[in-house]
Amino acid sequence: MYAPTTIELTTRGRPLRLHLISTGVVSVKRRYRDARGRGLGALLDFMWDNRFTEWLPIWVMVIEHPDGTFLIDTGEVAAVMDPDYFRSSGALVHWFDRSQFRFDVRREDEIDVQLTNIGIPPSQVKTIVLTHLHFDHTDGLSHFPGTRVLLGDLEWKKPYGALKRLWPQDFHPVAVPLDCPYEMFERTYALTGSEDLLLVHTPGHTWGHASVLIKTDLGPILFAGDVCYSQDQLLTDKYTGANASHRLANDTYERIKAFARHEPLIVLPSHDPEAPKRLLDWEPLYNLPSEGLAERED
């Protein structure tokens, strides 16, 4: 339903190729995506809602970097269509995930097939980076046995809403410390020696949620995971109905927007249908004055 999107850029003069790939689609309760309240009130509101959103992408990002090929999140798998898929996590979880979400994922949508279709053998992936541990971001791990998996230390120590029984048996990620400040962000971790890929702590959706900041010569790109469902939510201060912390979600919004006021930032949430267009047309969160950019480049 969503074709892969590829863009060729440079980082510090070196070639960089990015691919946005949707591993099937998901539809959620409208009030899950667009909350009218916070906390328990928002939870009850979307659970009683009987309307679903349009089909939304389940984006992952592939980064062909001079240091190797990185996969950001692993997306969904066709097994999620099995009516009993969530039973291993208990009756309540099974009822919740079957009643609140709808999926359309085929075998050809899974990340290993799509990587092969764009000429990247799955074995070429050097490192998998997880924004957080929700199943639609981790289910594709089964295609990468033995591949190094990184995620933020707080996400590993304090997972929120993770379904551990769906993880591969050999799932032993490296929990990295996000302890280096960068610009408006207090906690980051450099994924490359040149520090042009950063894992950035962007909590709210989960306590340890992280995004990946890609520094390109044209400007920075933030693969934002589930910080928000769409860029419009970020711009209008609208939130989803299932954040671990509204206070932290609000703080993350403010930090991203503050950063974007000084850098031509492209924001790509994991379920935003408009993400490919913004990437290809290079549409930053804010349109910064060209003279401002020139001053920073000097």
Side-chain angles (χ1 to χ4, degrees), residues 103-120:
F103 292 92
D104 187 354
V105 183
R106 313 299 169 89
R107 178 67 183 98
E108 58 267 25
D109 297 325
E110 295 182 33
I111 185 58
D112 64 324
V113 175
Q114 295 212 57
L115 281 173
T116 301
N117 288 342
I118 62 173
I120 301 176

Side-chain angles (χ1 to χ4, degrees), residues 36-99:
R36 293 188 294 189
R38 305 176 188 176
L40 181 59
L43 175 65
L44 294 174
D45 190 35
F46 77 70
M47 287 175 61
W48 284 106
D49 189 7
N50 60 8
R51 300 170 302 164
F52 281 81
T53 65
E54 68 278 13
W55 288 113
L56 304 171
I58 307 171
W59 297 120
V60 304
M61 176 172 276
V62 184
I63 304 173
E64 294 187 82
H65 185 276
D67 287 3
T69 300
F70 294 79
L71 174 62
I72 315 304
D73 289 339
T74 62
E76 198 46 270
V77 293
V80 76
M81 304 291 287
D82 185 332
D84 293 324
Y85 187 66
F86 298 107
R87 287 198 185 277
S88 63
S89 299
L92 182 59
V93 169
H94 171 75
W95 170 82
F96 183 86
D97 287 329
R98 275 286 165 244
S99 62

Side-chain angles (χ1 to χ4, degrees), residues 85-280:
Y85 187 66
F86 298 107
R87 287 198 185 277
S88 63
S89 299
L92 182 59
V93 169
H94 171 75
W95 170 82
F96 183 86
D97 287 329
R98 275 286 165 244
S99 62
Q100 307 303 308
F101 311 116
R102 295 173 178 172
F103 292 92
D104 187 354
V105 183
R106 313 299 169 89
R107 178 67 183 98
E108 58 267 25
D109 297 325
E110 295 182 33
I111 185 58
D112 64 324
V113 175
Q114 295 212 57
L115 281 173
T116 301
N117 288 342
I118 62 173
I120 301 176
S123 60
Q124 183 179 311
V125 174
K126 169 189 175 184
T127 302
I128 294 170
V129 182
L130 298 176
T131 60
H132 61 299
L133 289 167
H134 287 170
F135 64 88
D136 57 322
H137 298 258
T138 63
D139 276 353
L141 285 167
S142 57
H143 296 304
F144 302 92
T147 302
R148 183 175 67 151
V149 180
L150 303 182
L151 79 164
D153 53 356
L154 184 56
E155 180 68 12
W156 185 239
K157 293 174 185 175
K158 193 178 180 182
Y160 178 80
L163 304 185
K164 298 181 181 181
R165 291 183 180 275
L166 295 180
W167 296 346
Q169 290 186 353
D170 62 348
F171 182 49
H172 301 292
V174 178
V176 297
L178 278 64
D179 55 9
C180 182
Y182 176 74
E183 300 288 349
M184 288 72 179
F185 303 105
E186 293 182 350
R187 301 186 64 203
T188 75
Y189 174 85
L191 297 167
T192 56
S194 54
E195 299 186 1
D196 51 4
L197 297 184
L198 298 180
L199 190 61
V200 179
H201 189 219
T202 51
H205 183 64
T206 68
W207 304 107
H209 186 282
S211 303
V212 175
L213 185 68
I214 306 138
K215 303 178 189 178
T216 82
D217 295 332
L218 194 57
I221 298 168
L222 188 72
F223 186 76
D226 284 357
V227 163
C228 49
Y229 260 70
S230 68
Q231 178 175 278
D232 185 63
Q233 286 184 315
L234 179 64
L235 289 168
T236 58
D237 293 320
K238 304 296 184 183
Y239 298 87
T240 67
N243 284 325
S245 169
H246 179 80
R247 178 184 62 82
L248 290 175
N250 179 73
D251 182 69
T252 290
Y253 273 27
E254 293 307 311
R255 290 180 187 275
I256 292 174
K257 289 188 285 189
F259 182 79
R261 292 187 184 102
H262 296 276
E263 300 283 348
L265 179 67
I266 305 292
V267 179
L268 307 174
S270 290
H271 302 292
D272 190 342
E274 298 300 316
K277 181 179 185 302
R278 286 201 303 278
L279 181 61
L280 291 175

Side-chain angles (χ1 to χ4, degrees), residues 7-61:
I7 185 170
E8 295 187 1
L9 300 163
T10 58
T11 174
R12 300 187 178 183
R14 301 182 299 169
L16 183 74
R17 183 180 291 120
L18 306 180
H19 310 271
L20 265 183
I21 298 173
S22 181
T23 57
V25 290
V26 61
S27 175
V28 304
K29 291 289 188 69
R30 290 191 184 184
R31 293 304 176 193
Y32 181 93
R33 180 184 64 182
D34 305 305
R36 293 188 294 189
R38 305 176 188 176
L40 181 59
L43 175 65
L44 294 174
D45 190 35
F46 77 70
M47 287 175 61
W48 284 106
D49 189 7
N50 60 8
R51 300 170 302 164
F52 281 81
T53 65
E54 68 278 13
W55 288 113
L56 304 171
I58 307 171
W59 297 120
V60 304
M61 176 172 276

